[in-house]
Amino acid sequence: MHQPQQHHWKTVKPLLRYLVGSITHGLQLTPSSSYSIKGFSDGDWGSNLDGRKYTIGYYVYLSNNIISWNSHKQKVVSRSNTEPNYRSIATVLFEIIWISSLLLNFIFLLLFQLFTQII
Amino acid sequence: MQQPPGLVSSNPAQVCKLSNAIYGLKQAPRSWFQKLSFTLNNMGFLATKSNHSLFTKYTNDITIFILKYVDDIIIIGSSSAAIASVISSLNKFFALKDLGSLYYFLGIEARWTSNSGLHLSQSKYIKELLEHANMHKAKPATYSNDVFLSPYSRFNNSL
């Protein structure tokens, strides 16, 4: 930001004070032998009445650990509340597909490398 | 490739004059990645298809994962002797600094907990940010809706 002014500071200040209160917060990861993937998503359109652009967010759990999350205001304008909700499901699904392909990758690489060692 | 006209050098192997530092070149990230992945491949690591920054190696009893972010690297393995040997063989090709057990990566602190879990936080990053903004002694605020009020609702409230 080139020229921050008083009203910008006013908007940022509560965010910084929120950080003061949450400075010790964190994510706790615990070992687990389960590979169940769960995704949650939501879309928000109603709180952006002047821009009509929607925000979508999601998070993904692997077993009981959160491993991926995102919240992003979109660049496109929506004309229906169905769109943000539908898009949020699609976006979390993309993430889940990527995570499962990564997990599958580990299995294939394991098999491949063990196989080449036996030969 | 040949020497361009105007370049005076007695050594025919010298083709171009390098006037930029390697670090600043556009091609630098790519050639660094190629060099690192070539070295890791020779050491028996395979890059995963879904994430090219993640290299894995499986042997009969040992599994090692290497995750890199530019020149920051995390090495995870099922045996600390195997990890040490990976570090020492990498050290033959690159001048590296072993920072020991994982505690800080990309602004995220990692702390091992008693139940062999991992606690991730950004306390250090937040602390530096608050000190920079001179807000480290401010009163804490809990989550409040008006932080995220849109200009539209501000306008409505003032009516």
Side-chain angles (χ1 to χ4, degrees):
Chain A
M1 196 163 235
H2 298 296
Q3 246 188 326
Q5 289 174 0
Q6 202 63 37
H7 64 278
H8 295 115
W9 177 241
K10 257 190 184 163
T11 316
V12 168
K13 209 171 163 183
L15 287 173
L16 290 169
R17 285 188 54 207
Y18 172 70
L19 285 177
V20 173
S22 63
I23 191 163
T24 55
H25 291 199
L27 294 175
Q28 178 68 48
L29 307 179
T30 48
S32 167
S33 52
S34 153
Y35 285 98
S36 83
I37 300 175
K38 275 198 197 92
F40 302 85
S41 73
D42 195 14
D44 175 49
W45 185 50
S47 51
N48 187 304
L49 288 167
D50 43 315
R52 302 276 168 180
K53 288 172 185 171
Y54 57 93
T55 302
I56 58 178
Y58 66 79
Y59 48 93
V60 181
Y61 276 85
L62 177 65
S63 179
N64 47 1
N65 294 310
I66 186 163
I67 54 165
S68 171
W69 57 91
N70 195 348
S71 168
H72 199 80
K73 189 173 173 185
Q74 302 297 300
K75 289 200 171 81
V76 290
V77 171
S78 174
R79 293 196 296 175
S80 148
N81 196 33
T82 314
E83 196 180 323
N85 288 311
Y86 166 72
R87 288 300 308 157
S88 78
I89 296 170
T91 311
V92 73
L93 195 63
F94 297 154
E95 187 68 11
I96 291 172
I97 290 170
W98 177 73
I99 289 168
S100 34
S101 82
L102 188 67
L103 291 174
L104 275 177
N105 236 264
F106 294 157
I107 298 165
F108 284 130
L109 282 173
L110 172 69
L111 292 176
F112 176 73
Q113 293 198 349
L114 288 180
F115 187 65
T116 46
Q117 271 166 30
I118 293 161
I119 291 169
Chain B
M1 200 174 174
Q2 290 171 338
Q3 287 186 355
L7 178 72
V8 188
S9 169
S10 52
N11 185 351
Q14 292 177 346
V15 178
C16 286
K17 190 186 171 201
L18 190 70
S19 52
N20 247 21
I22 296 279
Y23 243 109
L25 285 177
K26 193 171 75 172
Q27 295 91 336
R30 183 175 151 83
S31 68
W32 159 243
F33 176 75
Q34 276 181 331
K35 189 172 179 185
L36 182 69
S37 54
F38 178 76
T39 313
L40 288 173
N41 277 337
N42 282 348
M43 287 165 62
F45 284 91
L46 289 179
T48 48
K49 268 209 174 127
S50 316
N51 182 355
H52 293 284
S53 298
L54 182 65
F55 296 84
T56 56
K57 184 183 181 180
Y58 299 91
T59 54
N60 288 327
D61 46 355
I62 294 163
T63 303
I64 300 181
F65 285 16
I66 293 184
L67 183 72
K68 70 147 203 90
Y69 183 83
V70 192
D71 54 356
D72 293 326
I73 298 171
I74 300 180
I75 305 175
I76 307 161
S78 54
S79 134
S80 34
I83 293 175
S85 98
V86 169
I87 292 170
S88 71
S89 19
L90 266 182
N91 208 6
K92 281 177 206 151
F93 301 98
F94 310 105
L96 56 86
K97 201 162 108 190
D98 182 2
L99 296 172
S101 185
L102 177 70
Y103 66 95
Y104 197 65
F105 192 72
L106 304 178
I108 297 170
E109 279 158 83
R111 194 169 48 82
W112 296 97
T113 51
S114 52
N115 54 353
S116 65
L118 201 56
H119 185 264
L120 306 179
S121 72
Q122 291 186 293
S123 308
K124 192 167 177 266
Y125 178 75
I126 295 173
K127 195 171 162 260
E128 283 164 9
L129 182 78
L130 291 173
E131 274 165 12
H132 178 75
N134 201 22
M135 283 286 286
H136 53 290
K137 284 177 188 152
K139 268 185 286 180
T142 46
Y143 169 80
S144 130
N145 251 330
D146 39 272
V147 176
F148 305 103
L149 277 187
S150 70
Y152 184 89
S153 45
R154 277 178 207 281
F155 175 67
N156 259 6
N157 287 347
S158 63
L159 284 178

